[in-house]
mmCIF file of all heavy atoms in Angstrom:
data_model
loop_
_atom_site.group_PDB
_atom_site.id
_atom_site.type_symbol
_atom_site.label_atom_id
_atom_site.label_comp_id
_atom_site.label_asym_id
_atom_site.label_seq_id
_atom_site.Cartn_x
_atom_site.Cartn_y
_atom_site.Cartn_z
ATOM 1 N N SER A 1016 73.924 115.945 111.682
ATOM 2 C CA SER A 1016 72.654 116.628 111.419
ATOM 3 C C SER A 1016 72.853 117.544 110.209
ATOM 4 O O SER A 1016 73.882 118.112 110.002
ATOM 5 C CB SER A 1016 72.291 117.437 112.664
ATOM 6 O OG SER A 1016 71.608 118.587 112.321
ATOM 7 N N PRO A 1017 71.783 117.684 109.394
ATOM 8 C CA PRO A 1017 71.923 118.589 108.209
ATOM 9 C C PRO A 1017 72.077 120.022 108.677
ATOM 10 O O PRO A 1017 72.538 120.874 107.925
ATOM 11 C CB PRO A 1017 70.597 118.404 107.489
ATOM 12 C CG PRO A 1017 69.668 117.773 108.443
ATOM 13 C CD PRO A 1017 70.477 116.996 109.408
ATOM 14 N N TYR A 1018 71.746 120.312 109.944
ATOM 15 C CA TYR A 1018 71.943 121.647 110.459
ATOM 16 C C TYR A 1018 73.343 121.783 111.006
ATOM 17 O O TYR A 1018 73.666 122.781 111.631
ATOM 18 C CB TYR A 1018 70.888 122.003 111.527
ATOM 19 C CG TYR A 1018 69.499 122.017 110.939
ATOM 20 C CD1 TYR A 1018 68.618 120.968 111.110
ATOM 21 C CD2 TYR A 1018 69.093 123.101 110.181
ATOM 22 C CE1 TYR A 1018 67.383 120.980 110.561
ATOM 23 C CE2 TYR A 1018 67.838 123.131 109.624
ATOM 24 C CZ TYR A 1018 66.985 122.078 109.807
ATOM 25 O OH TYR A 1018 65.732 122.113 109.280
ATOM 26 N N GLY A 1019 74.113 120.710 110.884
ATOM 27 C CA GLY A 1019 75.543 120.771 111.249
ATOM 28 C C GLY A 1019 75.815 120.895 112.733
ATOM 29 O O GLY A 1019 76.789 121.536 113.067
ATOM 30 N N GLY A 1020 75.031 120.301 113.601
ATOM 31 C CA GLY A 1020 75.328 120.505 114.973
ATOM 32 C C GLY A 1020 75.325 119.279 115.824
ATOM 33 O O GLY A 1020 74.889 118.230 115.442
ATOM 34 N N GLY A 1021 75.847 119.427 117.048
ATOM 35 C CA GLY A 1021 75.796 118.386 118.036
ATOM 36 C C GLY A 1021 77.021 117.502 118.046
ATOM 37 O O GLY A 1021 77.222 116.683 117.148
ATOM 38 N N TRP A 1022 77.817 117.610 119.121
ATOM 39 C CA TRP A 1022 78.929 116.678 119.314
ATOM 40 C C TRP A 1022 78.363 115.267 119.396
ATOM 41 O O TRP A 1022 77.343 114.995 120.004
ATOM 42 C CB TRP A 1022 79.637 116.969 120.620
ATOM 43 C CG TRP A 1022 80.430 118.231 120.628
ATOM 44 C CD1 TRP A 1022 80.483 119.210 119.669
ATOM 45 C CD2 TRP A 1022 81.285 118.677 121.681
ATOM 46 N NE1 TRP A 1022 81.316 120.183 120.038
ATOM 47 C CE2 TRP A 1022 81.827 119.899 121.280
ATOM 48 C CE3 TRP A 1022 81.663 118.135 122.894
ATOM 49 C CZ2 TRP A 1022 82.740 120.614 122.060
ATOM 50 C CZ3 TRP A 1022 82.560 118.840 123.662
ATOM 51 C CH2 TRP A 1022 83.083 120.056 123.248
ATOM 52 N N VAL A 1023 79.089 114.323 118.795
ATOM 53 C CA VAL A 1023 78.707 112.938 118.944
ATOM 54 C C VAL A 1023 79.260 112.438 120.271
ATOM 55 O O VAL A 1023 80.421 112.496 120.522
ATOM 56 C CB VAL A 1023 79.281 112.087 117.774
ATOM 57 C CG1 VAL A 1023 78.914 110.633 117.943
ATOM 58 C CG2 VAL A 1023 78.736 112.609 116.454
ATOM 59 N N HIS A 1024 78.361 111.916 121.131
ATOM 60 C CA HIS A 1024 78.798 111.539 122.473
ATOM 61 C C HIS A 1024 79.107 110.066 122.610
ATOM 62 O O HIS A 1024 79.895 109.684 123.456
ATOM 63 C CB HIS A 1024 77.720 111.872 123.486
ATOM 64 C CG HIS A 1024 77.582 113.328 123.799
ATOM 65 N ND1 HIS A 1024 78.680 114.074 124.179
ATOM 66 C CD2 HIS A 1024 76.543 114.176 123.763
ATOM 67 C CE1 HIS A 1024 78.309 115.326 124.390
ATOM 68 N NE2 HIS A 1024 76.993 115.424 124.137
ATOM 69 N N SER A 1025 78.448 109.216 121.809
ATOM 70 C CA SER A 1025 78.681 107.775 121.975
ATOM 71 C C SER A 1025 78.322 107.052 120.663
ATOM 72 O O SER A 1025 77.347 107.442 120.009
ATOM 73 C CB SER A 1025 77.768 107.291 123.112
ATOM 74 O OG SER A 1025 77.907 105.898 123.279
ATOM 75 N N VAL A 1026 79.134 106.065 120.276
ATOM 76 C CA VAL A 1026 78.826 105.261 119.096
ATOM 77 C C VAL A 1026 78.778 103.817 119.509
ATOM 78 O O VAL A 1026 79.478 103.401 120.456
ATOM 79 C CB VAL A 1026 79.929 105.413 117.992
ATOM 80 C CG1 VAL A 1026 79.811 106.728 117.296
ATOM 81 C CG2 VAL A 1026 81.276 105.195 118.533
ATOM 82 N N CYS A 1027 77.978 103.002 118.841
ATOM 83 C CA CYS A 1027 77.910 101.611 119.150
ATOM 84 C C CYS A 1027 77.572 100.770 117.940
ATOM 85 O O CYS A 1027 76.582 101.046 117.247
ATOM 86 C CB CYS A 1027 76.834 101.390 120.282
ATOM 87 S SG CYS A 1027 76.818 99.739 120.946
ATOM 88 N N PHE A 1028 78.381 99.733 117.671
ATOM 89 C CA PHE A 1028 78.085 98.776 116.601
ATOM 90 C C PHE A 1028 77.086 97.774 117.158
ATOM 91 O O PHE A 1028 77.160 97.403 118.336
ATOM 92 C CB PHE A 1028 79.344 97.991 116.197
ATOM 93 C CG PHE A 1028 80.127 98.657 115.082
ATOM 94 C CD1 PHE A 1028 81.366 99.164 115.326
ATOM 95 C CD2 PHE A 1028 79.618 98.755 113.809
ATOM 96 C CE1 PHE A 1028 82.141 99.749 114.322
ATOM 97 C CE2 PHE A 1028 80.360 99.309 112.770
ATOM 98 C CZ PHE A 1028 81.622 99.839 113.051
ATOM 99 N N SER A 1029 76.199 97.251 116.325
ATOM 100 C CA SER A 1029 75.313 96.174 116.767
ATOM 101 C C SER A 1029 76.153 94.917 116.866
ATOM 102 O O SER A 1029 77.307 94.860 116.461
ATOM 103 C CB SER A 1029 74.163 95.980 115.784
ATOM 104 O OG SER A 1029 74.689 95.599 114.518
ATOM 105 N N GLU A 1030 75.550 93.833 117.394
ATOM 106 C CA GLU A 1030 76.338 92.598 117.648
ATOM 107 C C GLU A 1030 76.955 92.031 116.368
ATOM 108 O O GLU A 1030 78.093 91.561 116.367
ATOM 109 C CB GLU A 1030 75.398 91.544 118.279
ATOM 110 C CG GLU A 1030 76.055 90.226 118.613
ATOM 111 C CD GLU A 1030 76.969 90.352 119.828
ATOM 112 O OE1 GLU A 1030 76.917 91.340 120.564
ATOM 113 O OE2 GLU A 1030 77.785 89.412 120.027
ATOM 114 N N SER A 1031 76.226 92.150 115.239
ATOM 115 C CA SER A 1031 76.758 91.612 113.987
ATOM 116 C C SER A 1031 77.677 92.603 113.317
ATOM 117 O O SER A 1031 78.421 92.275 112.384
ATOM 118 C CB SER A 1031 75.603 91.318 113.052
ATOM 119 O OG SER A 1031 74.966 92.539 112.729
#
Side-chain angles (χ1 to χ4, degrees):
Chain A
S1016 149
Y1018 296 102
W1022 288 7
V1023 177
H1024 286 308
S1025 178
V1026 285
C1027 189
F1028 271 114
S1029 61
E1030 182 72 14
S1031 64

